[in-house]
mmCIF file of all heavy atoms in Angstrom:
data_model
loop_
_atom_site.group_PDB
_atom_site.id
_atom_site.type_symbol
_atom_site.label_atom_id
_atom_site.label_comp_id
_atom_site.label_asym_id
_atom_site.label_seq_id
_atom_site.Cartn_x
_atom_site.Cartn_y
_atom_site.Cartn_z
ATOM 1 N N THR Z 727 31.801 91.545 -15.029
ATOM 2 C CA THR Z 727 31.495 90.129 -14.760
ATOM 3 C C THR Z 727 32.740 89.323 -14.815
ATOM 4 O O THR Z 727 33.746 89.730 -15.375
ATOM 5 C CB THR Z 727 30.473 89.563 -15.805
ATOM 6 O OG1 THR Z 727 31.047 89.702 -17.120
ATOM 7 C CG2 THR Z 727 29.164 90.308 -15.748
ATOM 8 N N GLY Z 728 32.686 88.126 -14.200
ATOM 9 C CA GLY Z 728 33.855 87.226 -14.241
ATOM 10 C C GLY Z 728 34.566 87.118 -12.908
ATOM 11 O O GLY Z 728 35.566 86.419 -12.784
ATOM 12 N N GLY Z 729 34.035 87.795 -11.852
ATOM 13 C CA GLY Z 729 34.638 87.688 -10.529
ATOM 14 C C GLY Z 729 34.255 86.360 -9.857
ATOM 15 O O GLY Z 729 33.470 85.589 -10.364
ATOM 16 N N THR Z 730 34.816 86.155 -8.693
ATOM 17 C CA THR Z 730 34.539 84.901 -7.903
ATOM 18 C C THR Z 730 33.175 85.013 -7.261
ATOM 19 O O THR Z 730 32.870 86.006 -6.579
ATOM 20 C CB THR Z 730 35.622 84.708 -6.841
ATOM 21 O OG1 THR Z 730 36.908 84.661 -7.480
ATOM 22 C CG2 THR Z 730 35.376 83.437 -6.068
ATOM 23 N N GLN Z 731 32.380 83.985 -7.426
ATOM 24 C CA GLN Z 731 31.051 83.926 -6.797
ATOM 25 C C GLN Z 731 31.172 83.585 -5.337
ATOM 26 O O GLN Z 731 32.069 82.857 -4.936
ATOM 27 C CB GLN Z 731 30.134 82.921 -7.523
ATOM 28 C CG GLN Z 731 29.901 83.237 -8.964
ATOM 29 C CD GLN Z 731 29.122 84.531 -9.175
ATOM 30 O OE1 GLN Z 731 28.336 84.915 -8.316
ATOM 31 N NE2 GLN Z 731 29.304 85.177 -10.333
ATOM 32 N N GLU Z 732 30.240 84.100 -4.521
ATOM 33 C CA GLU Z 732 30.222 83.782 -3.103
ATOM 34 C C GLU Z 732 29.992 82.268 -2.909
ATOM 35 O O GLU Z 732 29.177 81.646 -3.578
ATOM 36 C CB GLU Z 732 29.100 84.550 -2.394
ATOM 37 C CG GLU Z 732 29.266 86.054 -2.447
ATOM 38 C CD GLU Z 732 30.465 86.550 -1.677
ATOM 39 O OE1 GLU Z 732 30.904 85.845 -0.747
ATOM 40 O OE2 GLU Z 732 31.020 87.608 -2.019
ATOM 41 N N GLY Z 733 30.720 81.702 -1.962
ATOM 42 C CA GLY Z 733 30.554 80.265 -1.662
ATOM 43 C C GLY Z 733 31.254 79.358 -2.632
ATOM 44 O O GLY Z 733 31.155 78.133 -2.556
ATOM 45 N N TYR Z 734 32.022 79.956 -3.572
ATOM 46 C CA TYR Z 734 32.729 79.118 -4.550
ATOM 47 C C TYR Z 734 33.854 78.358 -3.890
ATOM 48 O O TYR Z 734 34.614 78.933 -3.107
ATOM 49 C CB TYR Z 734 33.286 80.007 -5.681
ATOM 50 C CG TYR Z 734 34.096 79.246 -6.672
ATOM 51 C CD1 TYR Z 734 33.519 78.598 -7.718
ATOM 52 C CD2 TYR Z 734 35.495 79.220 -6.575
ATOM 53 C CE1 TYR Z 734 34.304 77.911 -8.677
ATOM 54 C CE2 TYR Z 734 36.268 78.552 -7.503
ATOM 55 C CZ TYR Z 734 35.661 77.916 -8.558
ATOM 56 O OH TYR Z 734 36.437 77.241 -9.474
ATOM 57 N N ILE Z 735 33.960 77.076 -4.123
ATOM 58 C CA ILE Z 735 35.013 76.267 -3.564
ATOM 59 C C ILE Z 735 35.839 75.664 -4.695
ATOM 60 O O ILE Z 735 35.317 75.056 -5.603
ATOM 61 C CB ILE Z 735 34.426 75.087 -2.715
ATOM 62 C CG1 ILE Z 735 33.585 75.671 -1.561
ATOM 63 C CG2 ILE Z 735 35.541 74.238 -2.163
ATOM 64 C CD1 ILE Z 735 32.925 74.615 -0.727
ATOM 65 N N ASN Z 736 37.106 75.874 -4.619
ATOM 66 C CA ASN Z 736 38.011 75.339 -5.639
ATOM 67 C C ASN Z 736 38.433 73.945 -5.218
ATOM 68 O O ASN Z 736 39.236 73.784 -4.305
ATOM 69 C CB ASN Z 736 39.232 76.240 -5.765
ATOM 70 C CG ASN Z 736 40.127 75.823 -6.917
ATOM 71 O OD1 ASN Z 736 39.673 75.114 -7.791
ATOM 72 N ND2 ASN Z 736 41.386 76.237 -6.865
ATOM 73 N N LEU Z 737 37.838 72.931 -5.841
ATOM 74 C CA LEU Z 737 38.104 71.552 -5.511
ATOM 75 C C LEU Z 737 39.355 71.093 -6.223
ATOM 76 O O LEU Z 737 39.494 71.250 -7.425
ATOM 77 C CB LEU Z 737 36.935 70.664 -5.900
ATOM 78 C CG LEU Z 737 35.610 70.905 -5.136
ATOM 79 C CD1 LEU Z 737 34.520 70.001 -5.707
ATOM 80 C CD2 LEU Z 737 35.802 70.639 -3.648
ATOM 81 N N VAL Z 738 40.273 70.523 -5.468
ATOM 82 C CA VAL Z 738 41.500 70.004 -6.030
ATOM 83 C C VAL Z 738 41.548 68.517 -5.853
ATOM 84 O O VAL Z 738 41.450 68.028 -4.719
ATOM 85 C CB VAL Z 738 42.713 70.642 -5.374
ATOM 86 C CG1 VAL Z 738 44.021 70.063 -5.979
ATOM 87 C CG2 VAL Z 738 42.720 72.131 -5.515
ATOM 88 N N THR Z 739 41.565 67.772 -6.936
ATOM 89 C CA THR Z 739 41.605 66.314 -6.864
ATOM 90 C C THR Z 739 42.974 65.882 -6.391
ATOM 91 O O THR Z 739 43.981 66.192 -6.992
ATOM 92 C CB THR Z 739 41.325 65.670 -8.238
ATOM 93 O OG1 THR Z 739 40.112 66.167 -8.740
ATOM 94 C CG2 THR Z 739 41.292 64.182 -8.137
ATOM 95 N N PRO Z 740 43.031 65.102 -5.266
ATOM 96 C CA PRO Z 740 44.335 64.657 -4.744
ATOM 97 C C PRO Z 740 45.002 63.729 -5.720
ATOM 98 O O PRO Z 740 44.366 62.904 -6.368
ATOM 99 C CB PRO Z 740 43.977 63.988 -3.454
ATOM 100 C CG PRO Z 740 42.553 63.552 -3.611
ATOM 101 C CD PRO Z 740 41.911 64.587 -4.444
ATOM 102 N N LYS Z 741 46.287 63.904 -5.865
ATOM 103 C CA LYS Z 741 47.066 63.028 -6.753
ATOM 104 C C LYS Z 741 47.844 62.058 -5.900
ATOM 105 O O LYS Z 741 48.634 62.444 -5.029
ATOM 106 C CB LYS Z 741 47.991 63.870 -7.604
ATOM 107 C CG LYS Z 741 47.261 64.804 -8.570
ATOM 108 C CD LYS Z 741 48.252 65.554 -9.431
ATOM 109 C CE LYS Z 741 47.512 66.430 -10.433
ATOM 110 N NZ LYS Z 741 48.451 67.209 -11.301
ATOM 111 N N PHE Z 742 47.640 60.793 -6.138
ATOM 112 C CA PHE Z 742 48.352 59.764 -5.411
ATOM 113 C C PHE Z 742 49.548 59.323 -6.226
ATOM 114 O O PHE Z 742 49.436 59.011 -7.411
ATOM 115 C CB PHE Z 742 47.444 58.553 -5.119
ATOM 116 C CG PHE Z 742 46.266 58.913 -4.259
ATOM 117 C CD1 PHE Z 742 45.043 59.155 -4.842
ATOM 118 C CD2 PHE Z 742 46.388 59.039 -2.911
ATOM 119 C CE1 PHE Z 742 43.953 59.514 -4.054
ATOM 120 C CE2 PHE Z 742 45.324 59.356 -2.104
ATOM 121 C CZ PHE Z 742 44.082 59.621 -2.665
ATOM 122 N N GLN Z 743 50.690 59.254 -5.561
ATOM 123 C CA GLN Z 743 51.884 58.868 -6.252
ATOM 124 C C GLN Z 743 51.880 57.355 -6.475
ATOM 125 O O GLN Z 743 51.619 56.584 -5.584
ATOM 126 C CB GLN Z 743 53.117 59.237 -5.421
ATOM 127 C CG GLN Z 743 54.416 58.927 -6.142
ATOM 128 C CD GLN Z 743 55.600 59.407 -5.316
ATOM 129 O OE1 GLN Z 743 55.414 59.888 -4.205
ATOM 130 N NE2 GLN Z 743 56.810 59.233 -5.831
ATOM 131 N N SER Z 744 52.119 56.950 -7.739
ATOM 132 C CA SER Z 744 52.144 55.510 -8.034
ATOM 133 C C SER Z 744 53.361 54.891 -7.392
ATOM 134 O O SER Z 744 54.429 55.513 -7.297
ATOM 135 C CB SER Z 744 52.203 55.349 -9.543
ATOM 136 O OG SER Z 744 53.381 55.961 -10.085
ATOM 137 N N PRO Z 745 53.222 53.684 -6.916
ATOM 138 C CA PRO Z 745 54.340 53.038 -6.246
ATOM 139 C C PRO Z 745 55.494 52.859 -7.172
ATOM 140 O O PRO Z 745 55.311 52.602 -8.399
ATOM 141 C CB PRO Z 745 53.756 51.668 -5.806
ATOM 142 C CG PRO Z 745 52.570 51.429 -6.706
ATOM 143 C CD PRO Z 745 52.028 52.834 -6.986
ATOM 144 N N SER Z 746 56.684 53.050 -6.700
ATOM 145 C CA SER Z 746 57.878 52.938 -7.514
ATOM 146 C C SER Z 746 58.126 51.479 -7.853
ATOM 147 O O SER Z 746 57.590 50.553 -7.230
ATOM 148 C CB SER Z 746 59.090 53.522 -6.769
ATOM 149 O OG SER Z 746 59.334 52.738 -5.628
ATOM 150 N N SER Z 747 58.975 51.251 -8.870
ATOM 151 C CA SER Z 747 59.309 49.882 -9.256
ATOM 152 C C SER Z 747 60.014 49.151 -8.108
ATOM 153 O O SER Z 747 59.890 47.959 -7.935
ATOM 154 C CB SER Z 747 60.195 49.936 -10.502
ATOM 155 O OG SER Z 747 61.355 50.681 -10.259
ATOM 156 N N ALA Z 748 60.768 49.936 -7.328
ATOM 157 C CA ALA Z 748 61.478 49.284 -6.185
ATOM 158 C C ALA Z 748 60.504 48.776 -5.164
ATOM 159 O O ALA Z 748 60.652 47.673 -4.651
ATOM 160 C CB ALA Z 748 62.437 50.349 -5.546
ATOM 161 N N SER Z 749 59.479 49.595 -4.831
ATOM 162 C CA SER Z 749 58.494 49.169 -3.835
ATOM 163 C C SER Z 749 57.676 47.993 -4.367
ATOM 164 O O SER Z 749 57.344 47.056 -3.652
ATOM 165 C CB SER Z 749 57.610 50.304 -3.437
ATOM 166 O OG SER Z 749 56.888 50.810 -4.555
ATOM 167 N N LEU Z 750 57.383 48.009 -5.693
ATOM 168 C CA LEU Z 750 56.633 46.905 -6.290
ATOM 169 C C LEU Z 750 57.471 45.622 -6.250
ATOM 170 O O LEU Z 750 56.958 44.526 -5.978
ATOM 171 C CB LEU Z 750 56.289 47.240 -7.759
ATOM 172 C CG LEU Z 750 55.167 48.224 -7.964
ATOM 173 C CD1 LEU Z 750 55.024 48.566 -9.442
ATOM 174 C CD2 LEU Z 750 53.830 47.697 -7.438
ATOM 175 N N GLY Z 751 58.762 45.785 -6.464
ATOM 176 C CA GLY Z 751 59.649 44.618 -6.369
ATOM 177 C C GLY Z 751 59.704 44.035 -5.002
ATOM 178 O O GLY Z 751 59.710 42.824 -4.808
ATOM 179 N N THR Z 752 59.712 44.928 -3.984
ATOM 180 C CA THR Z 752 59.736 44.437 -2.631
ATOM 181 C C THR Z 752 58.472 43.689 -2.283
ATOM 182 O O THR Z 752 58.518 42.640 -1.623
ATOM 183 C CB THR Z 752 59.900 45.650 -1.665
ATOM 184 O OG1 THR Z 752 61.074 46.329 -1.983
ATOM 185 C CG2 THR Z 752 59.950 45.172 -0.212
ATOM 186 N N VAL Z 753 57.309 44.230 -2.694
ATOM 187 C CA VAL Z 753 56.027 43.560 -2.453
ATOM 188 C C VAL Z 753 55.990 42.216 -3.132
ATOM 189 O O VAL Z 753 55.563 41.224 -2.552
ATOM 190 C CB VAL Z 753 54.854 44.448 -2.929
ATOM 191 C CG1 VAL Z 753 53.547 43.693 -2.818
ATOM 192 C CG2 VAL Z 753 54.792 45.707 -2.084
ATOM 193 N N ALA Z 754 56.422 42.142 -4.364
ATOM 194 C CA ALA Z 754 56.438 40.894 -5.117
ATOM 195 C C ALA Z 754 57.338 39.887 -4.440
ATOM 196 O O ALA Z 754 56.977 38.675 -4.356
ATOM 197 C CB ALA Z 754 56.912 41.160 -6.556
ATOM 198 N N MET Z 755 58.512 40.278 -3.981
ATOM 199 C CA MET Z 755 59.413 39.373 -3.314
ATOM 200 C C MET Z 755 58.809 38.817 -2.000
ATOM 201 O O MET Z 755 58.961 37.644 -1.680
ATOM 202 C CB MET Z 755 60.727 40.093 -3.036
ATOM 203 C CG MET Z 755 61.792 39.208 -2.352
ATOM 204 S SD MET Z 755 62.297 37.825 -3.401
ATOM 205 C CE MET Z 755 63.247 38.740 -4.631
ATOM 206 N N THR Z 756 58.084 39.719 -1.298
ATOM 207 C CA THR Z 756 57.449 39.293 -0.044
ATOM 208 C C THR Z 756 56.413 38.219 -0.307
ATOM 209 O O THR Z 756 56.372 37.193 0.418
ATOM 210 C CB THR Z 756 56.786 40.499 0.649
ATOM 211 O OG1 THR Z 756 57.787 41.496 0.897
ATOM 212 C CG2 THR Z 756 56.169 40.075 1.962
ATOM 213 N N PHE Z 757 55.551 38.400 -1.330
ATOM 214 C CA PHE Z 757 54.577 37.404 -1.629
ATOM 215 C C PHE Z 757 55.210 36.081 -2.120
ATOM 216 O O PHE Z 757 54.697 35.002 -1.875
ATOM 217 C CB PHE Z 757 53.565 37.933 -2.678
ATOM 218 C CG PHE Z 757 52.541 38.825 -2.110
ATOM 219 C CD1 PHE Z 757 52.565 40.181 -2.328
ATOM 220 C CD2 PHE Z 757 51.510 38.283 -1.323
ATOM 221 C CE1 PHE Z 757 51.581 41.003 -1.771
ATOM 222 C CE2 PHE Z 757 50.536 39.113 -0.783
ATOM 223 C CZ PHE Z 757 50.562 40.466 -1.003
ATOM 224 N N HIS Z 758 56.327 36.199 -2.831
ATOM 225 C CA HIS Z 758 57.008 35.033 -3.355
ATOM 226 C C HIS Z 758 57.579 34.187 -2.211
ATOM 227 O O HIS Z 758 57.556 32.957 -2.286
ATOM 228 C CB HIS Z 758 58.103 35.488 -4.315
ATOM 229 C CG HIS Z 758 58.925 34.347 -4.870
ATOM 230 N ND1 HIS Z 758 58.399 33.464 -5.805
ATOM 231 C CD2 HIS Z 758 60.206 33.945 -4.583
ATOM 232 C CE1 HIS Z 758 59.331 32.555 -6.098
ATOM 233 N NE2 HIS Z 758 60.450 32.838 -5.371
ATOM 234 N N LEU Z 759 58.080 34.818 -1.187
ATOM 235 C CA LEU Z 759 58.722 34.117 -0.078
ATOM 236 C C LEU Z 759 57.751 33.676 0.997
ATOM 237 O O LEU Z 759 58.099 32.912 1.878
ATOM 238 C CB LEU Z 759 59.820 34.975 0.542
ATOM 239 C CG LEU Z 759 61.032 35.328 -0.368
ATOM 240 C CD1 LEU Z 759 61.929 36.267 0.385
ATOM 241 C CD2 LEU Z 759 61.736 34.060 -0.749
ATOM 242 N N LEU Z 760 56.500 34.207 0.932
ATOM 243 C CA LEU Z 760 55.534 33.951 1.996
ATOM 244 C C LEU Z 760 55.298 32.439 2.238
ATOM 245 O O LEU Z 760 55.312 31.990 3.388
ATOM 246 C CB LEU Z 760 54.248 34.660 1.724
ATOM 247 C CG LEU Z 760 53.155 34.614 2.817
ATOM 248 C CD1 LEU Z 760 53.725 35.163 4.133
ATOM 249 C CD2 LEU Z 760 51.909 35.400 2.408
ATOM 250 N N PRO Z 761 55.048 31.647 1.201
ATOM 251 C CA PRO Z 761 54.802 30.187 1.414
ATOM 252 C C PRO Z 761 55.962 29.503 2.143
ATOM 253 O O PRO Z 761 55.777 28.719 3.068
ATOM 254 C CB PRO Z 761 54.604 29.615 0.029
ATOM 255 C CG PRO Z 761 54.112 30.771 -0.771
ATOM 256 C CD PRO Z 761 54.858 31.953 -0.209
ATOM 257 N N ALA Z 762 57.180 29.789 1.705
ATOM 258 C CA ALA Z 762 58.360 29.158 2.317
ATOM 259 C C ALA Z 762 58.477 29.573 3.781
ATOM 260 O O ALA Z 762 58.831 28.756 4.656
ATOM 261 C CB ALA Z 762 59.600 29.590 1.531
#
């Protein structure tokens, strides 16, 4: 016992990379300058 069962699917949860501090800074700067 202990083998792989028929129809077994190994689900892998996708990992999303968190935005870097540089990209966050760019987004913040864009919103800051938008009104002007």
Side-chain angles (χ1 to χ4, degrees):
T727 58
T730 303
Q731 298 294 333
E732 297 294 334
Y734 177 83
I735 300 176
N736 186 21
L737 296 176
V738 179
T739 304
K741 295 182 179 180
F742 298 98
Q743 183 177 3
S744 59
S746 65
S747 58
S749 60
L750 286 173
T752 302
V753 172
M755 182 64 71
T756 302
F757 279 108
H758 177 72
L759 296 176
L760 187 56

